[in-house]
Structures are given as structure tokens and as C-alpha cells.
Amino acid sequence: MYLAHQGALIVLRVHIQGQALQQQAIAFVARDIRQALGICHRYHLTTKCALKVAAYCKRFQTEGTGCIPCQAGTFKSSQGFSECLNCIEGTYIPATVTAPTVCSTCPSNSWSSAMSFGQDSCRCNLGFYTESEAMCSACPIGTYNTMTGSSACVSCSMGSYSTTVGSTSHLSCLSCYLNSFSPKIGSAACECNAGYSGDASSCDACWEGTYKNRTGPLSCESCSKGMYTNIRGSSTCISCEAGKYSSAVAASSEKTCVGCMQNSFSVVGSYSSMNCQCNLGFVRASTGLCFACAAGTYASNIDVTVCSQCSEGKYSSSIAGVGDYVCFPCNDHSNSPNGST
């Protein structure tokens, strides 16, 4: 009975002593790894004690006789005295982590070199741009990007277009088709030129007698009355010259412009014979023809229907007189009725 009691006391004493020695070994970890492990081996505490010591070196690498944090861009995921490993390409160590056990993956559409430190080491791939700190967006159509880590994409120049999303080369910017153009940079499509209609992939010239005065997918329009065009691909119509008129729609020749009747005139682009007005000094008859005002009369305005008579005491011998200044006063001591010649 006594011997059993003494044996139990010895076991308890060894356990307590082992716990104290283990704590002593752990205390040496920070400054002397060899001495800490020596305590474990010396007192036959190798397995449990060594694991305890090694646990303090998790996330650290050994240098000399102590444990130091893994350097930037490296990590250590297991306990023990192995060296830290380099983060591979496309991963990084967060700047806020001092003893990393794993590398973080770069955000989508970005990449980093090996041993990168901090998320800003991840740079947006070619064809992408930095929209925010943790987001890389594809370059939209009409743009491209040939450099990693760019904050903006490059726009295709005027006269070219691109339908590629995330383009990595200026070669994605294609020249506009014949008779089309892109009027601004960064275009996703071209527009048919003025004078041409279609969907930009095939722009056809407007026929004679028609025109198109704007770019884009618009149809050609017919020249209105008083105008014409004898040129294919016209962006405008030509007005009939003054003194002529045309009632034709979609006229393709200047010959459709007809001269006004004798003694009358019209403004540019006139479209009817009614646009032809009698000249000054002429009067429009009920037939529509223009006749000169007779002697003793005159016209002060164009296209009048009645000539004005010279007033009493005046006369005029002028034909097609313009204004009352053609009426002269009678000689002294004489008089004349209205409209005297």
C-alpha cells in the first residue's frame, strides 16, 4: 500500500516536472530553437514537446536559432521549421497580413508576378482597365488596351470602328467601308456618308434626282419642285435659277427649269408659273400675260393688275413707266386730265 502511494507521487512529480520543462522549452523558442529542442530531447519529452515548440514556428521560418515572419510575397502553411514558399503568379500576400499561411488570388481579369505583396500588385490584364480597386472591366466596343494595369482604354480613331469587347490590339479597329465614316472616336459602327444610303456595310449612291444631306442609315429623298440634281451621290439639290421655275419632283436635269413668260420674273427655286411676277412697269392681264403700262400710266410695284394714271396736270409719253416720276407737269398756264400723254 505504501509502495503504491509512493509510485503515484513519483508519476505526478514527473508529470508536473515535464509540464514545467515543456514551458521552459517553449520560452526558448523566440531566441534559441536548438536550446528549446535540447530540453525536449534531454528529458524524453520529444514528441509532444517538439510539436509544441514547432507550433510556435507556424507562419514563421527559422533563421539561425529563432523564428522570423515570412518575407513579403511568401507564405508558410504548416508547422515546423521548413522555409517559406513563394506565392505563384496570379496570387499575392495582403498588405495587412504579417505572418501569412496562404496566398490570396488576384481579382478576376487581373494578374500578378510571383512573390507579389499587396492587392495593388494585381494588374488588369490586356484588354481590361481598372474600374475600381478590386474590379477590372473589359474595354467596351470601339476601344482597346495594349498595356496591363491601365486605368483607361484607347479609343479607335475617327474613320474606324470596332465591335470587339476586351480588345488587346489596335488591329481590332477596322477602317470604315467605302462611302461611310465614323465621325467620332471610339465608334462601334460607321455611318453612310451624305449622298449615300444603306447600313454602313454597303452604302449606295443616291440616284440622280434624289439626295441625302445627313450621315446615317437614312433613305435618299426626292428633289422637291423648283430643284434638280443631275449627279449621283448628291447631298443637296440645285435650285432653278432666277427667272425660271420647275413643277417636276425628283428632277434630274436643269432642262426641267422653264423660263418665265415674257416681261415677268421669278426668284431662285420657283416651282410654278404663278411664281413668275410681272416686271415693274408691266401689268398682268386676265389671261395671265404681262403687258407694258401705256403712255400716261405707270406701275410702282411688280405684278400689278392695274396701271396707275398720271395725275391731273401731268403727262407721260413713256411706255412701261416705273413710278410717278415718269409723269411730267404741264407747261405754265396749261392743264391736263388724268392719264394724259
Side-chain angles (χ1 to χ4, degrees), residues 6-328:
Q6 289 296 317
L9 289 176
I10 291 172
V11 171
L12 179 60
R13 188 179 300 111
V14 169
H15 175 73
I16 294 173
Q17 185 181 20
Q19 289 290 329
L21 291 171
Q22 183 171 288
Q23 292 300 321
Q24 181 182 358
I26 291 173
F28 280 105
V29 170
R31 64 178 185 274
D32 196 330
I33 295 298
R34 291 191 181 91
Q35 187 173 354
L37 290 177
I39 294 173
C40 293
H41 288 291
R42 189 179 310 124
Y43 293 98
H44 305 288
L45 302 171
T46 305
T47 303
K48 293 183 179 180
C49 183
L51 288 176
K52 282 280 188 178
V53 172
Y56 274 79
C57 277
K58 184 181 181 182
R59 305 185 185 180
F60 294 83
Q61 65 180 348
T62 58
E63 182 178 272
T65 60
C67 296
I68 62 171
C70 292
Q71 64 176 319
T74 65
F75 72 102
K76 183 165 173 280
S77 60
S78 61
Q79 297 176 351
F81 305 106
S82 59
E83 293 183 351
C84 296
L85 303 176
N86 295 339
C87 288
I88 63 173
E89 293 180 346
T91 65
Y92 68 98
I93 295 299
T96 55
V97 177
T98 56
T101 60
V102 67
C103 301
S104 298
T105 302
C106 285
S108 299
N109 305 314
S110 66
W111 197 249
S112 67
S113 58
M115 295 185 66
S116 290
F117 181 72
Q119 184 173 298
D120 56 357
S121 299
C122 298
R123 299 170 64 83
C124 291
N125 296 335
L126 298 178
F128 290 79
Y129 70 100
T130 306
E131 187 171 7
S132 64
E133 182 179 352
M135 180 180 293
C136 294
S137 299
C139 291
I141 53 179
T143 66
Y144 63 93
N145 190 2
T146 59
M147 299 177 62
T148 60
S150 295
S151 59
C153 301
V154 182
S155 297
C156 294
S157 61
M158 291 189 297
S160 65
Y161 72 101
S162 173
T163 58
T164 304
V165 176
S167 172
T168 61
S169 171
H170 70 281
L171 297 178
S172 65
C173 299
L174 306 177
S175 297
C176 290
Y177 292 95
L178 184 65
N179 302 317
S180 67
F181 192 72
S182 56
K184 60 182 180 180
I185 62 174
S187 293
C190 299
E191 300 178 344
C192 289
N193 295 336
Y196 294 80
S197 64
D199 61 0
S201 63
S202 178
C203 298
D204 301 317
C206 296
W207 287 95
E208 293 88 343
T210 64
Y211 74 103
K212 178 169 162 276
N213 60 6
R214 289 180 290 174
T215 61
L218 304 174
S219 300
C220 300
E221 300 179 40
S222 298
C223 292
S224 58
K225 296 178 180 181
M227 308 184 81
Y228 70 94
T229 178
N230 54 4
I231 303 173
R232 289 198 66 182
S234 293
S235 59
T236 185
C237 296
I238 304 170
S239 297
C240 290
E241 63 185 27
K244 294 183 177 183
Y245 67 94
S246 173
S247 58
V249 176
S252 58
S253 173
E254 192 273 338
K255 293 180 179 179
T256 59
C257 299
V258 181
C260 288
M261 57 190 167
Q262 189 176 11
N263 303 319
S264 66
F265 198 76
S266 67
V267 297
V268 172
S270 292
Y271 56 88
S272 169
S273 60
M274 297 303 295
N275 296 135
C276 298
Q277 297 179 313
C278 293
N279 297 333
L280 287 172
F282 290 80
V283 61
R284 183 182 294 277
S286 58
T287 59
L289 300 177
C290 297
F291 295 96
C293 291
T297 65
Y298 63 90
S300 298
N301 297 304
I302 60 173
D303 208 40
V304 297
T305 55
V306 177
C307 295
S308 300
Q309 292 182 330
C310 289
S311 60
E312 182 181 353
K314 292 184 177 182
Y315 70 97
S316 173
S317 58
S318 299
I319 304 298
V322 178
D324 63 357
Y325 61 86
V326 300
C327 300
F328 297 98

